[in-house]
């Protein structure tokens, strides 16, 4: 079986190549990748090459396939796993497999599996650890986003609260409490807003801040105040760059002395320090955004730590249960991270997009591995159609579909982009 894949050879050295996969062993599974969303972690791996903790030292001689947010379907099942998986099943993968203490992970460390590929061989350890996850949803792209959503879900589960006189922590956010998501109008922040409202433990108050009016307006059009109210949540979008929207004002919205749960979605010192100042008694600050600077730090009020039991947690990913929860919520239609996606492309655009990811505005970049298509913003589909060219008809159809869906990528758009592929 031949595969076409984006392979990492070293620092900023990504190559899209075709090569032959070996025959699968009895303990392996052959699969077709359909969609892969590009993560900043893949950019970091490309930036660091062999210096990255998950990338093998011999990557220059034995390149790995990059990409770990992928979804597809099973083509052939080795004898060992025939009682659990079958041909045609859709799947997603939890990449943080942690096999026997190793940091090796699909999308970072393996020669024959990664999201930036047409076909892959799923190794035995993925199944042994329960990390090959069945997916019964309508669209492949939602399965790709389950890894990103699991990070959000994991963050919510990692928060904790205490009871005076007890040393037992109550895990999770406060249902019916006051929650703030700071710098929350980006793609991951929107996923957090969606999960906070629809994930099963809604707060009574949810404040979402940003300093960009356009991002806030888009967020408010996608996850509306009216929908939140229907789920018992008072949702407020607030631009903290505008005069009067001070920390004191944000705190006053709680009707008490502060917030139970505050999430920080940007590694910016003033945002972290504002989050600390917003905490009420027993308030939990979740530092979700990962800084690139290992010396990043911020002030924290330790008087409140001592006398008001404020505390902080940090999460850098979800576990397999978080991913299962994400897949289930998407299958049931309770959450839809479609709002995360702003760009679509084919495998030919994967390498360049990964290398230049920080400089490309917008949200998640979604790659369909069996097509060639330049990375294109959903907002530009109509203009691309009017330019003409070989993809004009496709862009026109996609523009029609997405414009009817509030400008969002959707299952109908995916069906159109996959319509002419002959597997």
């Amino acid at each position: 079986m031949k595969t076409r894949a984006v392979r990492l050879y070293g620092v900023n050295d990504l190559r899209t190549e075709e090569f032959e996969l070996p025959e699968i062993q009895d303990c392996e599974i052959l699969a077709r990748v359909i969609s892969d969303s590009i993560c900043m972690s893949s950019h970091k791996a490309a930036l660091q090459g062999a210096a990255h903790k998950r990338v093998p030292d011999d990557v220059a001689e034995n390149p790995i396939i990059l990409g770990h947010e992928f979804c597809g379907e099973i083509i052939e099942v080795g004898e060992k796993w025939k009682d659990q998986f079958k041909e045609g099943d859709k799947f997603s993968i939890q990449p943080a497999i942690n096999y026997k203490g190793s940091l090796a992970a699909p999308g970072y460390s393996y020669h024959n599996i990664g999201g930036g590929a047409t076909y892959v061989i799923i190794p035995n350890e993925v199944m042994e650890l329960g990390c090959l996850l069945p997916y019964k949803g309508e669209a492949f792209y939602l399965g790709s986003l389950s890894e990103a959503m699991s990070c959000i879900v994991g963050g919510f589960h990692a928060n904790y609260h205490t009871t005076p006189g007890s040393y037992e922590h109550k895990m999770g956010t406060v249902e019916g409490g006051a929650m703030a998501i700071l710098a929350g109008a980006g793609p991951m922040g929107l996923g957090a807003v969606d999960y906070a409202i629809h994930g099963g433990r809604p707060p009574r108050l949810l404040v979402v801040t940003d300093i960009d009016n356009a991002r806030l307006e888009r967020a408010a059009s996608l996850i509306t105040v009216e929908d939140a109210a229907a789920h018992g949540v008072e949702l407020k979008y607030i631009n903290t760059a505008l005069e009067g929207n001070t920390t004191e004002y944000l705190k006053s919205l709680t009707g008490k002395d502060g917030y139970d749960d505050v999430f920080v979605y940007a590694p910016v010192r003033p945002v972290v320090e504002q989050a600390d100042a917003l905490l009420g008694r027993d308030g939990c600050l979740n530092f979700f955004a990962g800084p690139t600077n290992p010396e990043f730090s911020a002030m924290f009020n330790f008087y409140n730590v001592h006398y008001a039991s404020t505390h902080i947690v940090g999460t850098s990913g979800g576990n397999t249960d978080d991913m299962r929860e994400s897949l289930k919520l998407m299958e049931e239609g309770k959450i839809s991270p479609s709002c995360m996606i702003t760009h679509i492309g084919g495998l030919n655009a994967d390498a360049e997009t990964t290398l230049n990811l920080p400089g490309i505005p917008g949200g998640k970049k979604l790659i369909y591995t069996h097509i060639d298509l330049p990375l294109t913003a959903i907002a530009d589909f109509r203009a691309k159609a009017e330019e003409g060219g070989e993809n004009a008809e496709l862009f026109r159809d996609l523009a029609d579909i997405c414009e009817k869906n509030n400008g969002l990528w959707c299952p109908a758009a995916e069906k159109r982009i996959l319509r002419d592929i002959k597997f």
Side-chain angles (χ1 to χ4, degrees):
M1 170 70 74
K2 282 190 175 180
T3 188
R4 185 170 173 234
V6 175
R7 299 206 281 182
L8 177 68
Y9 282 81
V11 175
N12 290 330
D13 188 357
L14 289 179
R15 308 176 199 176
T16 305
E17 302 174 318
E18 188 173 78
F19 63 96
E20 193 78 26
L21 290 171
E23 291 290 325
I24 66 166
Q25 301 178 34
D26 286 345
C27 61
E28 296 175 329
I29 290 176
L30 177 68
R32 177 188 293 125
V33 177
I34 302 295
S35 62
D36 181 48
S37 55
I38 298 179
C39 178
M40 186 61 74
S41 296
S42 294
H43 168 75
K44 293 175 183 176
L47 194 67
Q48 296 175 13
H52 191 281
K53 62 184 179 180
R54 294 188 187 275
V55 175
D57 292 338
D58 67 346
V59 69
E61 294 78 32
N62 296 291
I64 59 92
I65 302 176
L66 206 60
H68 58 275
E69 297 182 356
F70 58 102
C71 184
E73 52 192 2
I74 292 172
I75 302 300
E76 183 182 349
V77 181
E79 192 63 35
K80 178 178 179 179
W81 300 107
K82 284 185 180 293
D83 62 334
Q84 294 186 41
F85 302 98
K86 65 180 187 297
E87 295 177 6
D89 283 351
K90 290 180 183 176
F91 72 90
S92 186
I93 282 181
Q94 164 59 268
I97 57 177
N98 192 26
Y99 186 62
K100 296 181 178 179
S102 170
L103 290 175
Y108 297 94
S109 320
Y110 287 81
H111 310 305
N112 294 324
I113 182 173
T118 51
Y119 294 91
V120 297
I121 294 175
I122 306 174
N124 176 66
E125 52 264 35
V126 172
M127 284 74 78
E128 274 199 7
L129 295 171
C131 292
L132 180 60
L133 305 178
Y135 169 59
K136 296 179 173 60
E138 180 181 6
F140 289 98
Y141 77 89
L142 291 173
S144 282
L145 292 177
S146 65
E147 197 279 336
M149 276 304 306
S150 75
C151 299
I152 292 168
V153 171
F156 275 66
H157 289 328
N159 270 32
Y160 71 91
H161 296 277
T162 62
T163 301
S166 170
Y167 297 114
E168 183 177 348
H169 292 172
K170 294 175 289 186
M171 301 307 297
T173 57
V174 175
E175 186 173 1
M179 178 184 295
I181 301 176
L182 308 187
M188 294 297 280
L190 289 176
V193 176
D194 189 8
Y195 181 73
I197 296 169
H198 305 114
R201 291 177 61 86
R204 64 170 177 82
L205 171 69
L206 176 57
V207 172
V208 182
T209 74
D210 206 280
I211 57 173
D212 186 320
N213 262 339
R215 281 161 47 114
L216 284 165
E217 287 170 3
R218 179 176 184 269
S221 72
L222 299 175
I223 305 175
T224 66
V225 169
E226 291 77 16
D227 176 64
H231 289 82
V233 180
E234 181 184 4
L235 174 61
K236 293 181 179 291
Y237 292 101
I238 296 176
N239 187 334
T240 50
L242 298 181
E243 185 176 355
N245 291 344
T246 62
T247 299
E248 289 74 21
Y249 169 71
L250 296 178
K251 203 167 183 179
S252 73
L253 297 174
T254 66
K256 54 177 186 176
D257 293 331
Y259 292 80
D260 301 294
D261 299 282
V262 180
F263 290 85
V264 174
Y265 268 72
V268 179
R269 178 171 177 165
V271 178
V272 176
E273 293 177 352
Q274 182 176 64
D276 172 36
L278 290 174
L279 294 173
R281 180 167 188 83
D282 190 44
C284 185
L285 189 161
N286 186 300
F287 184 59
F288 183 88
T292 56
N293 177 9
E295 303 300 322
F296 179 83
S297 62
M299 297 293 291
F300 200 77
N301 187 322
F302 281 89
Y303 181 91
N304 288 338
V305 170
H306 189 79
Y307 288 106
S309 300
T310 59
H311 45 275
I312 186 169
V313 299
T315 51
S316 60
N319 62 25
T320 305
D321 286 339
D322 298 325
M323 200 160 171
R324 289 193 185 99
E325 181 180 348
S326 301
L327 289 166
K328 184 173 186 292
L329 288 170
M330 287 189 285
E331 290 168 358
E332 294 172 348
K334 292 180 179 178
I335 63 171
S336 177
S338 299
C339 56
M340 292 183 178
I341 299 169
T342 57
H343 293 68
I344 305 296
L347 189 62
N348 60 310
D350 192 314
E352 183 180 359
T353 300
T354 301
L355 291 172
N356 298 302
L357 194 59
I360 306 174
K364 297 289 278 185
K365 283 69 183 176
L366 180 68
I367 299 296
Y368 284 97
T369 64
H370 289 264
I371 66 170
D372 279 347
L373 191 73
L375 186 74
T376 308
I378 295 171
D380 293 338
F381 284 169
R382 182 66 65 192
K384 289 291 183 182
E386 292 171 355
E387 287 177 8
E390 62 176 323
N391 293 313
E393 179 183 352
L394 173 62
F395 281 129
R396 182 173 61 251
D397 292 348
L398 293 177
D400 289 343
I401 294 168
C402 293
E403 286 167 7
K404 292 176 182 177
N405 193 52
N406 201 19
L408 298 179
W409 194 248
C410 59
E414 178 176 277
K415 287 179 181 177
R416 174 60 186 91
I417 209 167
L418 297 177
R419 187 186 71 186
D420 300 325
I421 297 175
K422 301 293 189 290
F423 295 118

